[in-house]
Each structure stands twice: as C-alpha cells, then as structure tokens.
C-alpha cells in the first residue's frame, strides 16, 4: 500500500478495510469504539488496541440520495447506518448492495459487511463498506 490514509487515528482502520477486515478500537477498560480516536470517552485512557469484528449488525436507518455529488456517481444510491453486533454504541455507515431506492430495507434487518475496492486515486487504494442482508448470499 502506498500513499497516506485518513489521519493519525483512522489510518489503521482504512488499512484494515484494504485487507477486508472491519476493525474498531478496544480500550484497555474493555469498551469498543468507532469512529477511531485517541481518547476513550468512558475512562479517558489513551491505551487501546484494534479489535476485528465479525462485520454483522442490524439496520438502524438509511437515506436515499438522488443527486450526484461528483461527476460519474450513479444515482440514486443508499447509505445505511448499521449497529454492529459487537457493541451497542458501534454505529457504522456504508453503502447498500441491493435496491438503489432502499425499498428492501427495514429497521432491524440483519446485515453483513462486504468490501468494495475502487481504482487507486493519487496512489491510495480505496475500499469501502457495503452492507447486504445477512440471509442472502454474496
């Protein structure tokens, strides 16, 4: 991997996505957290490690976007917010792999993370999370 990823706190997270791993931080007090940050919001510790999750969760909400924010972006597209099974406070956004209007989504739907990679931009690969129903094959 070349180039730079994210920032001081999220570089390792982006690199894990390139390996198709979904990781969150785990503080020495045991709390899991995402988005990546230096300080635990529970105990104030700066000591933590990366924890690889199963990449499963349930849909909390979603939004359908009908306007392209950059040239060449296909619309409509759906962004889903998922509560990871690994922790109550772990809410992660990602794309939706099925209907582009979100008509097949429901709150509480069990989902699994998939990873999609695009061509490197400025020498930096780009892998993003997309969610699919847990009861459907890739």
């Amino acid at each position: 991997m070349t180039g730079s990823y994210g920032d001081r706190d999220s570089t390792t997270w982006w690199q894990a996505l390139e390996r198709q791993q979904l990781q969150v931080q785990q503080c020495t007090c045991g709390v899991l957290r995402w988005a990546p940050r230096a300080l635990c919001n529970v105990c104030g510790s700066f000591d933590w490690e990366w924890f690889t999750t199963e990449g499963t969760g349930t849909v909390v909400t979603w939004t359908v976007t009908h306007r392209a924010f950059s040239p060449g972006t296909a619309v409509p597209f759906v962004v889903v917010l998922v509560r990871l099974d690994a922790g109550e406070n772990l809410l992660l956004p990602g794309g939706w792999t099925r209907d582009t209007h979100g008509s097949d989504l429901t709150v509480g739907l069990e989902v699994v993370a998939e990873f999609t990679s695009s061509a490197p931009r400025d020498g930096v690969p780009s892998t993003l999370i997309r969610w699919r129903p847990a009861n459907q094959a890739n």
Side-chain angles (χ1 to χ4, degrees):
M1 291 180 257
T2 61
S4 63
Y5 295 81
D7 58 23
R8 174 197 70 196
D9 298 322
S10 67
T11 297
T12 301
W13 186 78
W14 288 106
Q15 291 171 340
L17 284 185
E18 291 298 318
R19 296 187 306 273
Q20 298 192 358
Q21 295 176 334
L22 187 55
Q23 293 187 333
V24 296
Q25 291 175 327
Q26 183 172 27
C27 179
T28 54
C29 74
V31 170
L32 297 174
R33 65 179 185 246
W34 191 90
R37 55 192 174 276
L39 178 71
C40 178
N41 59 324
V42 173
C43 73
S45 174
F46 286 96
D47 296 323
W48 50 268
E49 295 180 349
W50 288 99
F51 174 82
T52 302
T53 74
E54 296 295 320
T56 59
T58 56
V59 172
V60 175
T61 191
W62 65 93
T63 185
V64 181
T65 301
H66 294 275
R67 179 176 177 212
F69 293 102
S70 62
T73 302
V75 290
F77 63 89
V78 178
V79 176
V80 180
L81 187 62
V82 170
R83 183 179 315 281
L84 292 183
D85 292 339
E88 179 70 19
N89 294 321
L90 299 174
L91 298 171
L92 272 76
W96 182 238
T97 61
R98 302 299 192 248
D99 183 63
T100 59
H101 295 280
S103 63
D104 52 351
L105 281 162
T106 57
V107 171
L109 178 68
E110 294 180 355
V111 293
V112 176
E114 291 183 348
F115 303 91
T116 58
S117 298
S118 62
R121 181 183 288 184
D122 298 327
V124 179
S126 177
T127 299
L128 300 174
I129 301 169
R130 292 181 52 86
W131 299 99
R132 68 168 172 82
N135 61 356
Q136 294 183 8
N138 298 351

